[in-house]
Amino acid sequence: MTYTNDQRFLARHLDNSDEWILKIVSVQARDAGVYECQVSTEPKISQAYKLTVVTSRAQILANRELFIQSGSDINLTCIAPQAPGPYTHMLWYKDSELISDSTRGGIRVLSEQQMKTSNLVISRVIHADSGNYTCAADNSNSDSVFVHIINSEKHAAMQHELASRILVPRILLTVLTLFYFLERVIK
């Protein structure tokens, strides 16, 4: 039996075994805590289990606002290292419309589901490419950046300076992500 009125909690018995499983449907952050399994014997037998709930979040490795020179390329990288499951499907949206390779010429979406990464590459951007870009991963919170397409060389130089400041942390984050996945594979 489960001692809760919450219908998301189900006790399941495996046929021909002494094992019982607690299943929690649609796990939420508030479900984190200590759970106890008890057997009605004298003396009572019990085992406590601690449940930690990890909220997965997609992350675009860029500033929240980008200023890109018209005619340049956009290359956005999204990671979701804590997404559940061994493979993660990731989608890109521009102003809430799904982006695909066929949206317009010069767009490529390169995803590595096992590594939980995705790259959006838009070649030779034009003013119409300005907008809010969102990366959404399976069962994860999404992340967004706003891209401004500009004609001014001065704004492009400022963006290049900002990009060079975040290049080292991006590389470090990529290396750390690789080590994270390698450690999980080795275990």
Side-chain angles (χ1 to χ4, degrees):
M1 309 178 63
T2 55
Y3 292 99
T4 180
N5 291 330
D6 192 331
Q7 298 299 311
R8 297 178 306 117
F9 292 80
L10 306 164
R12 301 275 183 192
H13 179 254
L14 298 176
D15 290 338
N16 302 320
S17 78
D18 293 335
E19 291 187 35
W20 287 81
I21 295 173
L22 175 64
K23 180 177 181 180
I24 307 172
V25 179
S26 300
V27 174
Q28 302 167 14
R30 65 184 171 98
D31 296 329
V34 177
Y35 291 81
E36 184 176 47
C37 176
Q38 297 178 357
V39 179
S40 303
T41 60
E42 194 55 50
K44 176 182 85 170
I45 300 171
S46 67
Q47 177 70 46
Y49 296 92
K50 181 178 181 186
L51 174 66
T52 303
V53 178
V54 177
T55 304
S56 177
R57 178 171 179 79
Q59 181 183 6
I60 298 174
L61 305 178
N63 292 329
R64 298 297 96 202
E65 277 192 279
L66 297 174
F67 295 86
I68 307 293
Q69 178 74 30
S70 178
S72 299
D73 296 345
I74 296 175
N75 186 348
L76 297 175
T77 300
C78 181
I79 63 170
Q82 294 181 324
Y87 298 96
T88 299
H89 191 250
M90 301 170 86
L91 299 173
W92 287 93
Y93 297 87
K94 177 186 178 274
D95 299 328
S96 73
E97 286 190 35
L98 181 64
I99 297 173
S100 68
D101 295 345
S102 63
T103 303
R104 77 159 176 85
I107 293 180
R108 290 179 312 196
V109 176
L110 309 166
S111 295
E112 173 43 61
Q113 290 180 341
Q114 192 169 10
M115 294 300 290
K116 302 176 184 182
T117 62
S118 183
N119 283 67
L120 171 65
V121 180
I122 305 175
S123 300
R124 297 176 302 284
V125 295
I126 58 175
H127 184 71
D129 293 319
S130 291
N132 188 56
Y133 288 82
T134 301
C135 173
D138 292 338
N139 298 318
S140 300
N141 294 331
S142 60
D143 193 20
S144 298
V145 297
F146 198 91
V147 175
H148 302 271
I149 306 302
I150 56 169
N151 294 324
S152 167
E153 292 291 331
K154 180 180 177 183
H155 282 105
M158 288 178 7
Q159 178 61 33
H160 179 72
E161 180 182 332
L162 284 172
S164 65
R165 287 183 191 169
I166 66 166
L167 181 60
V168 172
R170 273 179 98 173
I171 292 171
L172 181 59
L173 185 55
T174 303
V175 170
L176 289 174
T177 301
L178 287 172
F179 280 121
Y180 170 79
F181 288 114
L182 286 174
E183 177 185 25
R184 292 190 70 172
V185 168
I186 292 171
K187 286 182 182 178

